[in-house]
């Protein structure tokens, strides 16, 4: 298995599903959570395959991402997870255990300490190599007005792809 080749060969699937929603999952200090993401980038930096995800400071997930150096992203390959994606993208792990209360099945990741969504589709496991908080001063005015009126900016996490596989077949 070649992580780099597998990652890039699944680019179309990853980028097609991302705007429809994927599960960003992380465990830190014994607590795990998942939230829906719709934005991100895949690329090749530092001679490594990279998946970048964007987490607003207000998210419960943000605190967990800060306390952990790994994360996973699970991209559903069928509509079976549509309702769970909607709920995980609305409710907060601050108030509930989403895995338990929303009946989101999980299995342990292969290369990092954290969960992935079970029987889901394309799974990416990452180790954060770099993070960068958005600087409002450097942001296009229209984007700022449209997406950040409440000053709730994103932290960008650049994850080295450690594993890339399907768990739905
Ligand atoms: C389709 C969809 C895509 C989303 N994409 C993102 C995203 O890329 N980054 C982000 O910070 N929040 C995103 N959200 C919002 C979070 O999923 C939502 O605020 C969630 O309740 C946060 O959960 P948490 O507080 O447990 O971390 C998205 C929501 C939906 C429904």
């Amino acid at each position: 298995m070649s992580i780099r080749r597998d990652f890039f060969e699944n680019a179309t699937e990853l980028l097609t599903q991302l705007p429809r929603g994927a599960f960003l999952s992380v465990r830190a200090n014994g607590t795990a959570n998942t939230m829906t993401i719709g934005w991100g980038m895949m690329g090749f930096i530092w001679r490594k395959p990279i998946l970048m995800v964007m987490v607003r400071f207000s998210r419960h997930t943000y605190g967990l991402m800060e306390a952990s150096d790994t994360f996973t992203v699970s991209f559903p390959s069928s509509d079976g997870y549509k309702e769970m994606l909607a709920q995980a993208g609305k409710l907060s792990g601050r108030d509930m255990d989403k895995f338990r209360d929303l009946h989101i099945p999980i299995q342990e990741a292969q290369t990092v300490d954290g969960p992935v969504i079970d029987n889901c589709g394309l799974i990416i496991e990452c180790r954060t190599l770099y993070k960068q908080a958005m600087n409002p001063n450097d942001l296009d005015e229209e984007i700022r007005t449209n997406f950040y009126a409440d000053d709730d900016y994103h932290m960008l996490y650049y994850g080295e792809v450690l594993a890339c596989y399907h768990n739905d077949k």
Side-chain angles (χ1 to χ4, degrees):
M1 181 176 72
S2 158
I3 294 299
R4 190 184 296 180
R5 200 185 62 218
D6 290 358
F7 182 52
F8 293 120
E9 281 181 355
N10 285 294
T12 303
E13 180 180 346
L14 190 159
L15 294 172
T16 303
Q17 180 58 35
L18 184 60
R20 298 177 184 151
F23 295 98
L24 167 64
S25 307
V26 56
R27 180 187 291 135
N29 305 321
T31 304
N33 188 42
T34 193
M35 72 168 227
T36 304
I37 57 167
W39 295 354
M41 286 201 326
M42 62 186 295
F44 185 67
I45 317 178
W46 309 300
R47 297 190 196 137
K48 296 174 190 295
I50 300 288
L51 180 64
M52 187 276 281
V53 296
M54 306 173 68
V55 180
R56 292 190 197 257
F57 298 121
S58 62
R59 311 300 188 220
H60 180 62
T61 301
Y62 168 69
L64 297 178
M65 290 288 283
E66 288 296 295
S68 172
D69 64 352
T70 63
F71 62 89
T72 70
V73 186
S74 306
F75 299 82
S77 54
S78 76
D79 278 350
Y81 277 105
K82 215 170 166 182
E83 185 54 29
M84 291 179 203
L85 278 173
Q87 295 298 320
K90 199 163 54 184
L91 301 166
S92 179
R94 238 178 241 115
D95 313 314
M96 64 193 299
D97 177 340
K98 288 191 210 176
F99 297 118
R100 185 193 61 205
D101 299 346
L102 300 177
H103 308 290
I104 303 175
I106 51 173
Q107 64 181 109
E108 208 43 39
Q110 293 180 3
T111 60
V112 303
D113 175 15
V116 305
I117 309 306
D118 194 17
N119 195 22
C120 182
L122 179 64
I123 306 295
I124 309 286
E125 301 180 5
C126 293
R127 183 170 73 93
T128 301
L129 295 184
Y130 178 63
K131 64 179 182 178
Q132 183 178 36
M134 287 182 61
N135 181 348
N137 298 325
D138 294 333
L139 188 60
D140 175 83
E141 194 55 45
E142 194 180 321
I143 300 288
R144 184 135 68 107
T145 306
N146 287 344
F147 297 99
Y148 301 97
D150 53 1
D151 285 338
D152 188 13
Y153 291 94
H154 284 101
M155 181 69 90
L156 280 47
Y157 295 92
Y158 293 73
E160 173 185 7
V161 177
L162 300 179
C164 170
Y165 55 92
H166 282 86
N167 71 350
D168 61 333
K169 293 166 187 135

